[in-house]
Amino acid sequence: MSSLVQKYNVAGPRYTSYPTVPYWEENSFTKSDWESSVIKSIKESNQKEGISLYIHLPFCEAMCTFCGCNKRITVNHNVELPYISNVLKEWSLYLALLDETPIISELHLGGGTPTFFSPENLQILIDGIFKNAHKAKNAALSYEGHPNNTTKEHLKTLFELGFNRVSYGVQDYNLEVQKAIHRVQPFENVLNATLNAREIGYTSVGHDLIYGLPFQKKEHVIHTIKQTIALKPDRIAFYSYAFVPWIKGNGQRGFSQDNLPSPDEKRAQYEIGKKMLEDAGYIEIGMDHFALASDELNIAMETKKLHRNFMGYSSSSTQAMIGLGVSSISDSWYGFSQNVKSITEYKKLLDQDQIPVYRGHLLNNEDLIIRKHILNLMCHFETQWEKNGELYFKEIPDILISLKEMEEDGLLILESNGISVTEKGRPFVRNICMAFDLRLKRKKPNTQLFSMTI
Ligand SMILES: C[S@@+](CC[C@H](N)C(=O)[O-])C[C@H]1O[C@@H](n2cnc3c(N)ncnc32)[C@H](O)[C@@H]1O
Ligand code: SF4
């Protein structure tokens, strides 16, 4: 495995979208095209499963120095209500585009830290969203909770509002690693947050773990996974640490590349973690995720209904995903857009009755086909096409030639009308997707844009 790690450890996208954000054609994107694509997509989604809504709640009380998310650090909770009223204003601007009431089948509160907000204020937010929207039967409502500040009141209020899934950031249980990443979080806090959620009736509790963190060693991963298994969360995200210090203002600091485990050590951390999770009955879902057999993510994988979007893996494949809040990304299937990142700018645009999007991309036919292949690979570890059929494109023969070496390395099997990724090739799925990424191939980046694939 070691030589494969060395060979394939390159900078590469995580493919939460295709085209990936640095390859969006921002110059040809207009807000009016974006709005038209949203109207079309919501109309189509309303006929099917409904839409997804992502709401970005950016505040955190303290800065974890490993974190790559878009966040604002403050201890001033007076920021909550003005922010909520901006998010509701943004939602009203989307509603004004439509001549029908949207059906929400998936809603996720992400951050930052959604549980920074008081339960009362989160209730105001959710009531405001559903005032002019229908909730689909079996809608999946979920949020990210910080184990250090998710109270019983948060859990109860959100459960009564229809939330039945919560995921907690755990990362690593070793105190030295926690100190290095400025996130001291005792096991008891995760234990209480998990038990409280179960007692209240949440059907899915998730834990987020990371391997490859600064100063993290294999024994820390083993200890963390043991502690995690003891609490038996329904889902576990086991993320590869993304070190992206060049992203402006993300706060990754206090350590350097030298403090990170080597690519081989990092791979060994993943391998041992994966084995322990599988031995404990977890099933690997796509990339970075594990779930118990009973969890909907696993059922979706088995029935080939697994989907991937900016929120990660999901069991419902909604076509339209509207992202509200600073820096949120929306996906109408025909296009992507991203909101401004500054809260001041966000408010300013909303005060002018403008949807606060600052960049985006409209997909052409080639993008739509490649997007399907990349989704297939990321979700099902295989993809197929028919010669001259809907998913065929003229570069396929060249792609097959470029994948020959990966086949020789045992990472995939090439067929005349498709490819399938082998068990050995799964850790390299990002590299395999890169072979289909024509935009990346046509214009190689001059500087490092993406985290390393391993
Ligand atoms: C928005 S945060 C979680 C919610 C909450 N703020 C907390 O910290 O508990 C979502 C998750 O993204 C993951 N994450 C953040 N930065 C990362 C990075 N640079 N590489 C890999 N995973 C990262 C962490 O596992 C984190 O729990
Ligand atoms: S890990 Fe969570 S709490 Fe820490 S800075 Fe990132 S978003 Fe905030």
Side-chain angles (χ1 to χ4, degrees), residues 66-273:
F66 74 95
C67 175
C69 304
N70 184 288
K71 68 264 170 191
R72 296 286 170 285
I73 309 301
T74 179
V75 287
N76 173 12
H77 285 260
N78 292 332
V79 294
E80 294 181 23
L81 279 175
Y83 187 79
I84 286 176
S85 92
N86 287 332
V87 169
L88 292 176
K89 171 76 187 274
E90 187 186 0
W91 181 225
S92 77
L93 294 177
Y94 275 106
L95 292 173
L97 297 176
L98 309 173
D99 53 18
E100 58 190 303
T101 309
I103 302 168
I104 298 177
S105 65
E106 201 175 37
L107 188 154
H108 183 73
L109 306 181
T113 305
T115 47
F116 171 97
F117 286 72
S118 72
E120 298 74 34
N121 287 343
L122 289 171
Q123 168 131 27
I124 293 172
L125 171 67
I126 302 305
D127 287 345
I129 294 288
F130 281 108
K131 201 164 146 207
N132 293 303
H134 297 303
K135 196 188 286 172
K137 215 169 119 230
N138 302 326
L141 275 58
S142 56
Y143 60 99
E144 291 160 15
H146 194 314
N148 284 0
N149 66 14
T150 306
T151 62
K152 269 194 175 172
E153 283 63 42
H154 280 114
L155 289 161
K156 268 196 220 138
T157 305
L158 288 164
F159 185 73
E160 278 158 19
L161 287 167
F163 287 77
N164 56 13
R165 296 174 189 187
V166 57
S167 61
Y168 293 121
V170 173
Q171 330 311 349
D172 187 287
Y173 282 117
N174 179 270
L175 186 58
E176 293 314 311
V177 176
Q178 291 191 358
K179 281 186 185 156
I181 61 175
H182 201 243
R183 186 189 173 101
V184 173
Q185 178 178 281
F187 176 73
E188 288 63 44
N189 292 9
V190 185
L191 172 78
N192 290 335
T194 301
L195 294 183
N196 289 340
R198 291 245 169 80
E199 197 184 297
I200 288 167
Y202 283 74
T203 49
S204 180
V205 178
H207 287 186
D208 295 348
L209 313 179
I210 305 185
Y211 63 93
L213 281 167
F215 306 101
Q216 196 181 29
K217 303 219 160 38
K218 198 167 152 187
E219 61 262 29
H220 302 142
V221 173
I222 294 174
H223 171 69
T224 298
I225 301 257
K226 266 193 198 149
Q227 301 275 74
T228 304
I229 290 171
L231 299 182
K232 230 172 179 21
D234 304 84
R235 288 181 192 181
I236 296 170
F238 189 37
Y239 292 119
S240 161
Y241 180 52
F243 185 50
V244 282
W246 57 85
I247 295 183
K248 219 175 93 204
N250 81 358
Q252 285 186 338
R253 59 173 182 238
F255 53 89
S256 68
Q257 186 75 45
D258 296 344
N259 305 124
L260 299 178
S262 71
D264 277 338
E265 281 166 347
K266 190 175 176 188
R267 200 70 226 149
Q269 294 180 356
Y270 166 77
E271 292 297 336
I272 185 74

Side-chain angles (χ1 to χ4, degrees), residues 9-12 240-241 243 266 430 448 450-454:
N9 189 25
V10 294
S240 161
Y241 180 52
F243 185 50
K266 190 175 176 188
R430 286 163 73 181
Q448 189 174 349
F450 304 108
S451 58
M452 302 303 276
T453 52
I454 308 298

